[in-house]
């Protein structure tokens, strides 16, 4: 029972991390657009350089978060492979081996 519970818990962690990754991709796209807008407004003299630096910092922070989530997702995927007795190179992230959603 303990193994089954750990497999289920790990599976749902993977699904959660995949959703976090998807949301971060959307956030990054939005922040990139905002950064470009602020940069263009700065070129026209409508905002200060501080606004540009803040937008750039927000974008960099979201990208760093994405890297953290991606690394955690890979480690959790590896754990699920081990729990299932499969070679850790099995790619659960592709969804090819995932249980139905």
């Amino acid at each position: 029972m303990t193994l089954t519970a750990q497999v289920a818990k790990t599976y749902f962690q993977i699904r959660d991390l995949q959703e976090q990754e998807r949301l971060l991709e959307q956030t990054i796209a939005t922040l990139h657009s905002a950064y470009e807008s602020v940069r263009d407004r700065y070129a026209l003299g409508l905002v200060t350089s501080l606004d540009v630096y803040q937008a750039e910092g927000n974008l960099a922070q979201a990208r760093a978060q994405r890297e953290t989530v991606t690394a955690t997702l890979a480690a959790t995927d590896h754990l699920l492979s081990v729990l299932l007795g499969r070679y850790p190179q099995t790619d659960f992230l592709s969804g090819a081996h995932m249980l139905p959603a």
Side-chain angles (χ1 to χ4, degrees):
M1 273 186 137
T2 303
L3 178 60
T4 304
Q6 186 64 36
V7 167
K9 178 182 173 187
T10 304
Y11 169 77
F12 286 113
Q13 284 176 335
I14 288 173
R15 299 299 286 188
D16 181 55
L17 288 165
Q18 288 173 330
E19 184 63 17
Q20 285 181 40
E21 194 173 47
R22 186 187 68 76
L23 290 172
L24 278 169
E25 288 299 329
Q26 291 176 349
T27 300
I28 289 168
T30 301
L31 289 173
H32 182 72
S33 176
Y35 166 70
E36 288 179 342
S37 176
V38 169
R39 189 185 60 205
D40 292 345
R41 293 178 72 205
Y42 174 74
L44 296 172
L46 300 174
V47 297
T48 66
S49 61
L50 177 61
D51 295 320
V52 176
Y53 291 129
Q54 285 176 335
E56 189 175 45
N58 291 339
L59 180 58
Q61 185 178 28
R63 286 179 174 159
Q65 266 186 308
R66 178 184 57 194
E67 295 305 317
T68 300
V69 168
T70 300
T72 304
L73 182 55
T76 307
D77 177 55
H78 181 90
L79 174 60
L80 184 58
S81 295
V82 170
L83 289 171
L84 293 174
R86 296 185 180 156
Y87 190 72
Q89 295 297 330
T90 303
D91 188 12
F92 283 92
L93 299 178
S94 69
H97 298 92
M98 296 294 281
L99 301 172

